[in-house]
Amino acid sequence: FPSSYIPTTGVATLRNLDFPLITDLSWFNELIGTYLMDGVLIDYTPTVTDRIIAMSDAADNVAQDYYWLSGPSVNANFYITPNSNAVSTGNFTPGTDFSFAVAYSVDDIAAVRDGGTPATDSDTLGILPSGIDKLVLGNSPNTNRPMFGTIKRVQYWPSRLTNEELIELTADRG
């Protein structure tokens, strides 16, 4: 799975995976916001949740996840701890471009993939996490769950965009 081959004149060498870790989250609002993520998932690890973006607290308790839930099918999901519940945007085929947006506020979560119908939750995901102090692109901060693909764009708004805006943003693909 994801690795970088480095050709040499001697023994072949592999370098470690690159996963940007962002610890200055002064721009981030835990109570309301919207993410837009574009990219391509090339493949996935069966039975593992490959992360697009994961956010966590100082103890590495994952608090917000944007991930591919894989197994017999692949779904784009938004997951919030402490609720242990996810909003899923349904199945798709690896190897194709994706555009995935999630908007959240207290008792109001919506996720849209590729201009489709919003998956919403107005009750069970209503408790939003606090104490988030790190964001990792393409992996989880506390486990090895790399995304095997390319993240082309991540955009954040400190407000809850409407479901119609989510549909428009993900249908456009920037």
Side-chain angles (χ1 to χ4, degrees):
F1 275 27
S3 68
S4 297
Y5 171 73
I6 303 170
T8 64
T9 56
V11 177
T13 304
L14 294 176
R15 68 184 181 112
N16 291 333
L17 303 172
D18 293 323
F19 298 110
L21 171 65
I22 300 167
T23 57
D24 177 5
L25 298 181
S26 58
W27 49 268
F28 178 69
N29 186 336
E30 295 174 336
L31 298 178
I32 187 169
T34 301
Y35 277 94
L36 172 66
M37 297 150 276
D38 295 327
V40 60
L41 180 68
I42 297 167
D43 203 351
Y44 63 94
T45 308
T47 71
V48 174
T49 49
D50 303 339
R51 298 319 203 255
I52 306 169
I53 297 175
M55 303 182 85
S56 69
D57 63 16
D60 280 340
N61 296 311
V62 175
Q64 287 190 6
D65 265 336
Y66 308 86
Y67 65 88
W68 304 111
L69 176 62
S70 49
S73 61
V74 181
N75 297 287
N77 294 284
F78 173 61
Y79 175 90
I80 295 180
T81 301
N83 310 78
S84 300
N85 200 349
V87 173
S88 176
T89 60
N91 297 345
F92 83 105
T93 304
T96 58
D97 287 353
F98 69 83
S99 187
F100 180 46
V102 174
Y104 62 92
S105 64
V106 176
D107 295 329
D108 183 17
I109 312 293
V112 175
R113 193 187 76 244
D114 300 327
T117 302
T120 61
D121 193 305
S122 61
D123 183 41
T124 59
L125 292 176
I127 302 169
L128 297 172
S130 61
I132 293 174
D133 65 355
K134 67 184 81 145
L135 178 147
V136 179
L137 296 175
N139 202 358
S140 177
N142 59 0
T143 59
N144 187 24
R145 295 185 174 179
M147 176 187 161
F148 186 35
T150 302
I151 299 171
K152 297 178 183 178
R153 172 176 63 167
V154 174
Q155 193 167 348
Y156 171 79
W157 292 263
S159 60
R160 201 291 193 195
L161 299 185
T162 67
N163 291 358
E164 292 76 21
E165 289 170 316
L166 299 180
I167 293 167
E168 184 178 322
L169 284 169
T170 60
D172 177 36
R173 294 187 195 237

